[in-house]
């Protein structure tokens, strides 16, 4: 996206690692109001504690994806652009804090090209 925001999208054969949070219905309604560029989509997720297991059971969760109606109205706005360094740092810190697979962090999040912070000098 023009502003360097993240969004999930379907890509056969690919996976996204992340953190699932249990929230209330009221919190979900608030989040929907905040995430104005996005719509919720149900997806299957597999939990793990840093170790990926073939025996994991799937559960349903929501993921936010770009709103297809907005994308159709202004495709240029939703083209891929690098995120700001601060934004990708928040994603990496959260992934590490919550035990996202280290291999995924190093091969995916650590390799994202980003817009560097502005120098204070």
């Amino acid at each position: 996206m023009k502003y360097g925001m993240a969004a999930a999208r379907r890509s056969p054969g690919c996976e996204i690692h992340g953190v699932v949070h249990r929230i209330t219905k009221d919190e979900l309604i608030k989040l929907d109001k905040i995430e104005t560029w996005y719509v919720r989509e149900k997806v299957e997720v597999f939990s793990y504690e840093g170790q990926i297991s073939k025996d994991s059971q799937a559960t349903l969760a929501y993921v936010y994806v770009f709103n297809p109606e907005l994308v159709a109205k202004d495709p240029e706005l939703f083209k891929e652009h690098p995120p700001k360094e601060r934004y990708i740092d928040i994603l990496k810190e959260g992934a590490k804090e919550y035990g996202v697979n280290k291999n995924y962090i190093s091969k995916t999040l650590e390799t994202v090209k980003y817009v560097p912070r502005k120098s204070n000098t």
Side-chain angles (χ1 to χ4, degrees):
M1 170 182 216
K2 181 178 180 181
Y3 304 108
M5 303 303 278
R9 68 171 167 233
R10 292 191 186 280
S11 185
C14 295
E15 58 188 35
I16 296 176
H17 292 233
V19 178
V20 176
H21 295 278
R22 183 180 305 263
I23 61 175
T24 67
K25 287 181 183 177
D26 287 341
E27 290 168 328
L28 186 60
I29 290 167
K30 287 178 187 176
L31 194 54
D32 285 343
K33 288 179 182 176
I34 293 168
E35 299 295 357
T36 57
W37 298 101
Y38 304 89
V39 293
R40 276 188 280 133
E41 227 177 71
K42 270 189 184 172
V43 295
E44 280 190 335
V45 297
F46 299 88
S47 66
Y48 64 84
E49 299 286 329
Q51 295 275 18
I52 299 171
S53 169
K54 300 283 185 202
D55 300 327
S56 258
Q57 294 292 320
T59 189
L60 291 177
Y62 289 115
V63 65
Y64 282 89
V65 298
F66 284 139
N67 183 328
E69 291 177 11
L70 296 178
V71 174
K73 286 180 186 175
D74 191 355
E76 190 65 29
L77 179 66
F78 291 90
K79 282 188 176 177
E80 282 193 39
H81 292 282
K84 300 249 180 4
E85 184 176 11
R86 179 185 173 280
Y87 184 74
I88 198 66
D89 283 349
I90 290 169
L91 294 180
K92 290 188 294 190
E93 287 173 28
K96 290 172 185 173
E97 174 77 20
Y98 285 98
V100 170
N101 181 269
K102 290 178 182 178
N103 194 38
Y104 181 81
I105 294 170
S106 67
K107 290 189 176 180
T108 304
L109 295 179
E110 296 284 355
T111 63
V112 171
K113 299 210 183 312
Y114 54 81
V115 176
R117 284 183 170 85
K118 292 180 181 176
S119 174
N120 289 335
T121 57

